[in-house]
Amino acid sequence: DNPVASPNPTTGYFEFILKEQSSEISIEIFSMSGTLLLRKVYPQYAGRRISITELQNHNQGIYLVRITTDTGTSVHKVVKINY
């Protein structure tokens, strides 16, 4: 099972809950045009919850989040809205 972004849509803060623990997790956020906005690597990560706050300063729109763990890679759409 893939991780799920919550809340989605978001105002800039969201989190992923991983189904399994992984020894290393990589998170990449891309604009829809393919520009890499963020890359974070969590070496020796022991938890299952990843919090992301970096979209707060970006424009409203759709972003792609790529998560790479020991068990594979998944890509998720996250919708950023402004209130």
Side-chain angles (χ1 to χ4, degrees):
D1 291 325
N2 286 334
V4 175
S6 177
N8 192 9
T10 178
T11 57
Y13 168 85
F14 60 97
E15 61 185 21
F16 281 96
I17 298 174
L18 305 174
K19 304 294 183 189
E20 301 174 359
Q21 287 186 340
S22 181
S23 63
E24 181 173 292
I25 298 169
S26 170
I27 305 283
E28 296 170 303
I29 299 178
F30 296 89
S31 68
M32 287 303 288
S33 65
T35 303
L36 178 65
L37 303 174
L38 171 76
R39 182 169 195 274
K40 278 186 151 178
V41 176
Y42 300 88
Q44 301 175 351
Y45 189 77
R48 291 183 18 196
R49 186 178 301 252
I50 300 285
S51 296
I52 308 290
T53 60
E54 284 77 13
L55 280 184
Q56 291 178 346
N57 296 323
H58 288 281
N59 293 330
Q60 180 170 291
I62 299 173
Y63 295 87
L64 298 177
V65 180
R66 181 166 53 201
I67 300 175
T68 304
T69 66
D70 294 341
T71 58
T73 299
S74 57
V75 177
H76 309 269
K77 283 185 184 178
V78 174
V79 178
K80 163 68 165 50
I81 58 174
N82 294 331
Y83 282 115

